[in-house]
Amino acid sequence: KGLGAKLRISAIKPEGTYLVWLDLSALGAAEDVSAALRSAGLILSAGSGFGAGNQQFARMNIATTPKTFEEALNRLDLACKTLEANTSK
């Protein structure tokens, strides 16, 4: 089970690193996504800090224990559900 299997987010497979780029564009506006992530207790590196045209991306450090990684995925899932609930209102 990976990011794509659990969430509606696509991940760019890392090449020799522990940093994963997540494409969050399907979740809505970058500001709303960022707020939902913070609200879920998850801090990711915003793609906008890595150059123009990267607003829809976030960088996630996965160099952690499996338990902590699973918790991060659960928080990411919570953020997605919050965004979906807000969109359907």
Side-chain angles (χ1 to χ4, degrees):
K1 104 180 149 173
L3 287 174
K6 183 163 183 151
L7 308 168
R8 288 185 359 177
I9 296 171
S10 61
I12 299 171
K13 185 177 179 181
E15 296 180 15
T17 184
Y18 51 87
L19 301 170
V20 176
W21 284 98
L22 305 175
D23 183 348
L24 307 173
S25 59
L27 301 178
E31 302 82 26
D32 295 338
V33 173
S34 181
L37 291 171
R38 278 192 312 276
S39 193
L42 188 63
I43 305 298
L44 303 177
S45 299
S48 59
F50 298 92
N54 293 314
Q55 296 86 337
Q56 77 274 22
F57 293 100
R59 190 172 74 170
M60 182 179 197
N61 183 328
I62 60 170
T64 189
T65 65
K67 181 179 178 182
T68 300
F69 182 63
E70 185 68 27
E71 177 62 26
L73 291 180
N74 289 335
R75 291 178 185 208
L76 198 50
D77 186 45
L78 175 62
C80 290
K81 288 176 180 172
T82 299
L83 288 163
E84 288 173 0
N86 290 343
T87 303
S88 65
K89 288 182 179 179

